[in-house]
């Protein structure tokens, strides 16, 4: 029996749409239990890295884009010039509701579409890939 990385990867991305699974990640901080993902508002890295991790494409799940990118680089991900379906998209930093700058991460789909966590809805959604400026596209030869 052989595990088919690409087929599992594609299925995880598509079926992640609308899933509440990525909304919460709890830590104890200064004696208080805190949902660091703010009920899905800040879940893009958790969503993306959970998909990558469950498909054996990175070493760990992450709550931040910077942590995700560091792991991806160590796991064989590299930049590509143009988007292709299933590549990881990193959007440039833009101000969040609290005014802090945040990058965003998700997956490219066909026809200039992407799937990433929606801070508005708190779940992964399909949207236009050009919703904000794009920093880079990433690929891994294991999904060829």
């Amino acid at each position: 029996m052989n595990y088919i990385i690409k087929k599992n990867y594609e299925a995880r991305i598509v079926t992640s749409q609308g899933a509440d699974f990525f909304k919460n990640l709890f830590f104890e901080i200064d004696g208080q239990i805190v949902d660091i993902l703010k009920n899905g508002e800040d879940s893009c890295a958790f969503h993306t890295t959970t998909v990558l991790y469950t498909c054996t494409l990175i070493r760990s799940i992450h709550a931040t884009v910077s942590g995700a990118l560091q792991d991806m680089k160590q796991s064989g991900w590299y930049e590509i010039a143009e988007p292709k379906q299933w590549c990881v998209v990193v959007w440039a930093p833009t101000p969040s509701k609290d005014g802090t700058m945040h990058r965003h991460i998700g997956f490219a789909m066909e026809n200039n579409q992407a799937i990433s966590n929606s801070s508005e809805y708190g779940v992964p959604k399909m949207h236009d890939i050009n919703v904000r400026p794009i920093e880079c596209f990433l690929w891994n030869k294991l999904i060829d």
Side-chain angles (χ1 to χ4, degrees), residues 78-83 87-89 129 134-139:
Y78 56 91
E79 284 192 35
I80 56 175
E82 297 293 323
C87 76
V88 171
V89 182
I129 199 168
I134 295 171
E135 186 175 307
C136 66
F137 304 105
L138 300 164
W139 190 254

Side-chain angles (χ1 to χ4, degrees), residues 5 9 13 48-49 51-53 55-60 68-80 84-90 105-108 136-144:
I5 291 175
Y9 176 66
I13 294 168
T48 301
T49 61
V51 169
L52 297 176
Y53 179 75
C55 295
T56 68
L57 293 166
I58 58 173
R59 295 179 176 111
S60 187
L69 294 175
Q70 182 177 8
D71 191 342
M72 290 175 72
K73 183 178 179 181
Q74 294 170 349
S75 299
W77 289 82
Y78 56 91
E79 284 192 35
I80 56 175
K84 58 183 176 178
Q85 188 174 20
W86 314 117
C87 76
V88 171
V89 182
V90 180
I105 192 168
F107 303 98
C136 66
F137 304 105
L138 300 164
W139 190 254
N140 189 306
K141 65 182 178 179
L142 295 174
I143 53 175
D144 276 335

